Amino acid sequence: MQTRKVVPMIIIREAYQLHTEQLNALIEQIKALVYVRVSTDDQAKYGYSLESQIERCVRYAESKHHYSREQLMILVEAGEHGDNPDRPLINYLLYLLERGIGSKAIFLHPDRMSRYLHLQIELSSKIWDLGCDIEFVEFDLDKNNPESMLMFNVQGSIAQYNKAKILANTKRGRRTKALKGEAVGMRRLYGYSFDTEEDRIVENPEERRIYMMMVDMVLNKGYSCSRIARELSSRGIAAPNGSVWYQATVSRILKNESYTGTYYYGKTEVVQQQGKPRSVRKSREEWIAIPIPAYIERATYEQIQHRLKSWRKTGGRPSEDYLLRGLARCGRCGAAVTSGVTTKTAGGRVKYYTCTGKTKKGYKVGAADPARPVCRGRNWRVDRVDAIVWQRLSVLLAKPEPYVIKYIEGLSSHHKLQELQLRKAELQRTITDRAGARSKYVDLYAYGIIRTKEELQTKLESLDEQLKILRKDMQFIDEMLQHACENFNYADRVIKYVRQLKDLLSSSSLSMADKRAFIGLLIDQAVLHE
């Protein structure tokens, strides 16, 4: 007697983790794709969790369609906001459906697909255009039913409004607390503790003692930040975060003006751009001052800053004769790359680019010896790297059109432009159909098929609401198309400008400063690999 082999449910947590052979083998097996998502704050604010979403979606697929678990593929998107149009797993879902893997996309709720109305419409249109169905556990959707589609769009609008409202209320609440002198959303401040009952920053006696020891080392003993880190670690004093005292940690503490008795709330603001959080620094006038226990006078703080600046001035000779200053990153660890390391050879001195992660000065608590470097690997000869970059730039400027077009397409790709045009045409057809339906309802009322004026009014109001949403989407797409067309016209001007720069390459009078300025016009970053 043979037993049937049980195939476990497939759970995907990273896009493109399945290779082509595996995907081909799944075409007949997988019947539906289940997409679950939480952002960093969804679980706390809305009660969502990945596990509960998976459980409910799977139970829904089993009970409604009688799918077995091996006929489902679960796509798990953790830490992505619903207004991000470039989520890896939602893109992977579309990719799988295009390959014929699954014929349904199952979500717990429309806001798991997106919390942004336009993106919700765009994603649903793409799935339907592939001939696949969309189903929600907590919402009945019928794409052929105008009332159902209206409610679907209303759900998207509500989700978008709720997110914006919660964010605004949260910011307002935090700001109100800060104006009353209460600490909110503060980062760890060495030397202080947070009183959860009073919502205030209070003195941490032991850490205050360590801070004052650091001040004494700087002003009275003349210790550098590196030496202070080594001294604290050798005495077995716990570091603020982890078991290593870094030179940068000591420097950051000594530069912090909060120890003069004022903690500033709201120095930066996190904004969402394409679903990704970005920190934006605010002007000092917008900061909110919160009084905290003072450890030093303002004059003492200024003395510390003067001492730190004096060390920077005498910390070594600044190196000017290298091309990629401020542009180079390490391909091993991502840290900044600088120049300054030199060696003597038969032909003279040779300068090298080196990863700052290799020289990061940290000391493990309980030991005076430096902790193991973060990054290990080779340095790069400055003359060879600079020659490669300059040569590459020469090739680029000889025929700049492909690079400029690629850059412009990054702002608004041709593919995206076509999608917008198709979406506009589709919206226009829908608007025309809905406007025609309005006239038909009036005719049906005139013929007595729609019997009451109230029934007619209900139907017309539903249509008018749909038309309002559709026209708003049309306006949004028109704005995007206008922006995209402006970008393509911009390409001609950029190409003309870049061609004018080409003659500068052959000039022998360019100084290193001129070359760096030239490089800065065209290169964002150079990554040096092993």
Side-chain angles (χ1 to χ4, degrees):
M1 177 178 175
Q2 292 183 339
T3 58
R4 181 175 175 269
K5 183 179 179 181
V6 177
V7 181
M9 187 166 58
I10 299 172
I11 298 180
I12 305 296
R13 298 182 185 274
E14 294 181 12
Y16 303 101
Q17 72 178 62
L18 299 177
H19 54 70
T20 304
E21 291 77 8
Q22 289 175 309
L23 293 176
N24 291 338
L26 293 172
I27 290 177
E28 295 297 328
Q29 177 184 325
I30 300 301
K31 302 300 181 184
L33 304 179
V34 173
Y35 176 88
V36 298
R37 176 187 67 81
V38 291
S39 65
T40 51
D41 52 8
D42 275 345
Q43 188 165 341
K45 290 183 180 178
Y46 309 108
Y48 287 120
S49 73
L50 293 172
E51 293 75 15
S52 64
Q53 289 182 65
I54 293 173
E55 180 184 354
R56 294 188 62 189
C57 289
V58 170
R59 194 162 60 238
Y60 169 88
E62 289 176 330
S63 61
K64 182 172 182 179
H65 300 290
H66 305 290
Y67 292 150
S68 60
R69 295 199 165 212
E70 57 263 31
Q71 292 177 312
L72 302 175
M73 181 184 290
I74 316 297
L75 285 78
V76 179
E77 191 108 67
E80 289 287 351
H81 288 273
D83 53 357
N84 179 8
D86 195 28
R87 281 171 276 154
L89 269 297
I90 200 72
N91 292 338
Y92 195 45
L93 179 140
L94 296 173
Y95 169 77
L96 293 173
L97 292 176
E98 286 176 358
R99 292 187 64 96
I101 299 175
S103 59
K104 294 182 187 296
I106 298 176
F107 304 82
L108 178 66
H109 188 274
D111 67 8
R112 296 301 85 198
M113 174 188 280
S114 176
R115 284 189 177 277
Y116 183 41
L117 175 60
H118 174 72
L119 185 56
Q120 177 179 293
I121 294 172
E122 182 180 332
L123 289 172
S124 58
S125 297
K126 286 181 178 179
I127 294 173
W128 285 326
D129 288 345
L130 292 170
C132 300
D133 295 327
I134 302 173
E135 294 189 17
F136 300 100
V137 176
E138 297 182 347
F139 178 78
D140 291 327
L141 176 64
D142 180 0
K143 66 178 181 179
N144 298 315
N145 185 305
E147 285 74 18
S148 178
M149 287 301 298
L150 172 64
M151 291 307 300
F152 179 51
N153 291 334
V154 168
Q155 286 274 2
S157 299
I158 291 173
Q160 186 171 337
Y161 169 78
N162 283 340
K163 181 174 181 179
K165 190 69 174 177
I166 289 170
L167 182 61
N169 289 341
T170 301
K171 287 182 177 180
R172 188 183 305 111
R174 287 173 175 268
R175 183 175 177 82
T176 301
K177 291 183 69 176
L179 289 170
K180 292 193 297 184
E182 299 177 1
V184 289
M186 64 166 287
R187 296 180 62 186
R188 167 86 162 102
L189 181 60
Y190 187 78
Y192 297 89
S193 299
F194 184 69
D195 186 336
T196 55
E197 293 184 1
E198 299 290 334
D199 283 340
R200 295 191 181 276
I201 301 172
V202 297
E203 177 183 327
N204 182 314
E206 177 58 25
E207 291 186 357
R208 181 184 187 277
R209 183 182 70 82
I210 304 304
Y211 173 75
M212 297 307 297
M213 183 190 303
M214 294 164 65
V215 172
D216 178 67
M217 289 178 179
V218 171
L219 296 181
N220 299 324
K221 297 181 180 179
Y223 285 8
S224 66
C225 294
S226 179
R227 186 172 178 183
I228 293 173
R230 185 173 64 216
E231 184 73 19
L232 296 175
S233 66
S234 66
R235 296 188 187 187
I237 296 172
N241 297 300
S243 58
V244 178
W245 276 101
Y246 290 103
Q247 173 190 5
T249 303
V250 174
S251 175
R252 184 169 59 251
I253 291 173
L254 292 173
K255 290 178 182 177
N256 195 329
E257 61 179 316
S258 299
Y259 299 98
T260 60
T262 304
Y263 174 81
Y264 288 99
Y265 171 78
K267 290 184 178 181
T268 60
E269 180 181 18
V270 177
V271 298
Q272 293 286 330
Q273 291 188 345
Q274 297 290 300
K276 298 290 185 181
R278 186 171 71 89
S279 181
V280 177
R281 190 165 183 84
K282 300 169 70 174
S283 64
R284 193 178 180 96
E285 292 74 24
E286 298 180 87
W287 298 359
I288 300 175
I290 299 175
I292 62 175
Y295 293 171
I296 58 174
E297 299 290 336
R298 186 73 193 184
T300 304
Y301 173 77
E302 297 297 342
Q303 290 178 2
I304 295 171
Q305 305 317 301
H306 179 73
R307 182 62 58 86
L308 295 177
K309 289 179 182 178
S310 68
W311 287 335
R312 286 202 297 270
K313 291 177 182 177
T314 59
R317 293 176 300 175
S319 179
E320 297 291 339
D321 55 341
Y322 65 104
L323 194 60
L324 298 177
R325 188 174 69 181
L327 297 177
R329 308 293 297 188
C330 176
R332 294 184 297 261
C333 69
V337 168
T338 61
S339 175
V341 176
T342 60
T343 59
K344 291 183 179 179
T345 66
R349 286 185 174 273
V350 176
K351 189 178 291 291
Y352 289 88
Y353 285 112
T354 185
C355 173
T356 55
K358 295 174 65 175
T359 58
K360 190 175 183 181
K361 294 182 179 179
Y363 302 88
K364 192 172 183 179
V365 173
D369 296 329
R372 188 174 183 177
V374 174
C375 184
R376 301 181 71 86
R378 63 176 295 182
N379 296 329
W380 303 271
R381 281 185 55 161
V382 168
D383 57 340
R384 292 178 179 173
V385 171
D386 287 357
I388 291 171
V389 172
W390 200 249
Q391 174 63 25
R392 181 64 175 166
L393 197 62
S394 301
V395 173
L396 184 152
L397 291 182
K399 294 182 179 180
E401 291 83 359
Y403 300 96
V404 174
I405 294 298
K406 185 177 180 181
Y407 167 72
I408 299 300
E409 285 182 350
L411 301 177
S412 179
S413 68
H414 181 66
H415 177 68
K416 183 178 180 181
L417 187 61
Q418 287 182 322
E419 281 189 358
L420 288 172
Q421 291 169 337
L422 289 172
R423 178 60 183 153
K424 180 179 179 178
E426 180 186 341
L427 271 175
Q428 188 59 61
R429 287 194 298 270
T430 305
I431 290 173
T432 302
D433 290 343
R434 294 291 184 271
R438 201 179 196 285
S439 300
K440 290 179 182 177
Y441 279 143
V442 174
D443 291 341
L444 291 173
Y445 176 70
Y447 293 141
I449 298 174
I450 296 178
R451 297 182 179 180
T452 65
K453 189 174 182 180
E454 289 75 15
E455 184 182 355
L456 173 64
Q457 188 66 26
T458 300
K459 291 184 179 296
L460 292 179
E461 286 177 354
S462 175
L463 274 175
D464 288 342
E465 186 63 30
Q466 292 178 55
L467 284 168
K468 181 180 178 181
I469 293 173
L470 290 168
R471 284 168 179 151
K472 186 176 180 180
D473 287 342
M474 178 67 81
Q475 181 183 358
F476 180 77
I477 287 177
D478 281 336
E479 291 173 358
M480 292 184 68
L481 279 169
Q482 181 181 357
H483 178 66
C485 291
E486 288 173 354
N487 284 337
F488 278 109
N489 294 332
Y490 178 62
D492 293 334
R493 299 197 299 271
V494 173
I495 291 173
K496 182 178 179 181
Y497 171 67
V498 170
R499 281 174 176 164
Q500 293 173 351
L501 297 176
K502 185 174 68 173
D503 295 335
L504 288 173
L505 284 178
S506 57
S507 174
S508 59
S509 62
L510 284 179
S511 66
M512 182 56 70
D514 291 334
K515 288 184 176 181
R516 277 200 297 267
F518 188 78
I519 286 284
L521 290 173
L522 300 172
I523 295 178
D524 286 327
Q525 191 176 92
V527 181
L528 307 184
H529 295 278
E530 188 69 23

